[in-house]
Amino acid sequence: LTQEEEGDGKALATLAEGLRQRPSLKGFKMLLDMQIRQSDGDFQPYLRLTTDNLGKYLQTKPGYRCGHCGFETRKLYWQCPSCQKWDQLKPILGVEGD
């Protein structure tokens, strides 16, 4: 939204500030993708390689973890498939989460 309303420069600054306050690999990938769109030099292929590999890594990471047994999954379940507890799967937060 910031990019559409205020341009790439403001969007990059906003994203960078957000990453300083709450680091995440998904946010870092977004920052690199924006940098690729703005770059035109020799580094563009290396930035693309980095974001491609980071994207592949993020696709393998679970998005939810059971607060009772620690089961991890990419899909949200209301009942944990491992321990059968209800309403225990929560989003994984932090650098590797959302």
Side-chain angles (χ1 to χ4, degrees):
L1 185 61
T2 301
Q3 188 175 19
E4 290 176 14
E5 293 180 359
E6 300 183 45
D8 289 340
K10 179 66 174 171
L12 275 170
T14 301
L15 183 55
E17 182 58 33
L19 286 170
R20 282 186 198 92
Q21 294 175 10
R22 190 173 147 205
S24 80
L25 291 177
K26 288 180 183 178
F28 183 64
K29 183 180 181 316
M30 288 174 54
L31 184 70
L32 286 173
D33 287 335
M34 291 177 75
Q35 287 289 331
I36 287 171
R37 286 193 297 273
Q38 290 187 351
S39 73
D40 58 357
D42 296 332
F43 294 109
Q44 198 172 42
Y46 303 112
L47 290 172
R48 277 204 182 102
L49 177 63
T50 302
T51 59
D52 289 347
N53 283 309
L54 183 54
K56 289 175 186 175
Y57 172 75
L58 290 171
Q59 287 176 350
T60 66
K61 296 300 296 173
Y64 302 93
R65 180 179 299 127
C66 178
H68 183 259
C69 73
F71 175 78
E72 294 181 336
T73 181
R74 296 218 28 90
K75 184 178 176 184
L76 177 61
Y77 296 96
W78 289 105
Q79 184 180 27
C80 177
S82 178
C83 68
Q84 306 302 308
K85 297 286 184 185
W86 288 93
D87 199 27
Q88 290 294 311
L89 286 167
K90 306 291 182 195
I92 297 173
L93 303 176
V95 174
E96 291 191 31
D98 286 329

